[in-house]
Amino acid sequence: MTGQPNIAAEVELKWADGTYVFALKLKQIEELQRLCGAGLGEIAQRLLVEERWKVCDIVETLRLGLIGGGTPPLRARELIDTYVDGRPLADPRDPNNSKVTAQAVIGAVYFGVEDVTGEPEGKAEAAADDGTDSSTSRPSTGKRSRSGSRRSKSAG
């Protein structure tokens, strides 16, 4: 449909030992709500607004986001065990820390990830890499969505 933005609820992020696709689809959202004992709105409020998150909000958002993005469940658990358990969740020296990554995953569910450039993926990535990304929609964190657009940085 002409004039409609290309928006997806999945995001590709640098995290842990590489770059992963994260997506919370309905099945994963239902499981996240069950495991965290809260609705998605409350989890998002805790992570994005109030900074009163629970460990479950971060850990399960990452694990289930990986699964929704196509990572096999066993591999997702291994990544959590290796890169979350026993490590700082919100280390300010790590721009891709677990808290920031979980915030980006929740943000993708709520706001989507828009390809604001309208260019093919390779051109958008090249523009982003050389610092000429002219997106005016949100501040950049240097994290790219699957389509090559820039992700916004959540408060925190």
Side-chain angles (χ1 to χ4, degrees):
M1 185 179 259
T2 306
Q4 294 295 319
N6 180 18
I7 299 176
E10 69 179 28
V11 64
E12 186 175 79
L13 300 168
K14 182 178 177 189
W15 176 75
D17 63 355
T19 301
Y20 295 91
V21 175
F22 293 85
L24 289 173
K25 298 175 182 170
L26 290 179
K27 187 175 183 179
Q28 287 81 35
I29 292 170
E30 289 172 352
E31 182 70 0
L32 178 65
Q33 293 177 138
R34 185 186 69 74
L35 291 169
C36 294
L40 185 62
E42 184 177 340
I43 296 166
Q45 183 78 11
R46 294 189 305 225
L47 268 172
L48 300 175
V49 179
E50 296 175 356
E51 290 287 328
R52 294 174 56 121
W53 45 267
K54 297 179 178 183
V55 171
C56 178
D57 297 341
I58 293 173
V59 172
E60 294 304 331
T61 294
L62 294 175
R63 186 180 69 80
L64 292 166
L66 286 163
I67 293 168
T71 301
L74 183 59
R75 177 69 178 139
R77 172 51 59 199
E78 290 171 350
L79 287 165
I80 296 299
D81 290 347
T82 302
Y83 295 101
V84 179
D85 191 16
R87 294 190 181 204
L89 294 171
D91 185 349
R93 298 166 296 181
D94 179 4
N96 303 311
N97 68 55
S98 294
K99 183 192 87 168
V100 168
T101 304
Q103 288 172 324
V105 173
I106 290 289
V109 171
Y110 267 86
F111 308 113
V113 180
E114 185 174 357
D115 179 1
V116 294
T117 65
E119 296 176 344
E121 187 173 326
K123 288 184 181 178
E125 294 230 5
D129 288 342
D130 71 9
T132 60
D133 183 9
S134 60
S135 169
T136 58
S137 62
R138 297 183 192 141
S140 169
T141 63
K143 296 177 182 176
R144 288 185 201 91
S145 75
R146 179 175 216 139
S147 63
S149 67
R150 306 290 269 198
R151 284 294 305 140
S152 67
K153 183 173 185 176
S154 300

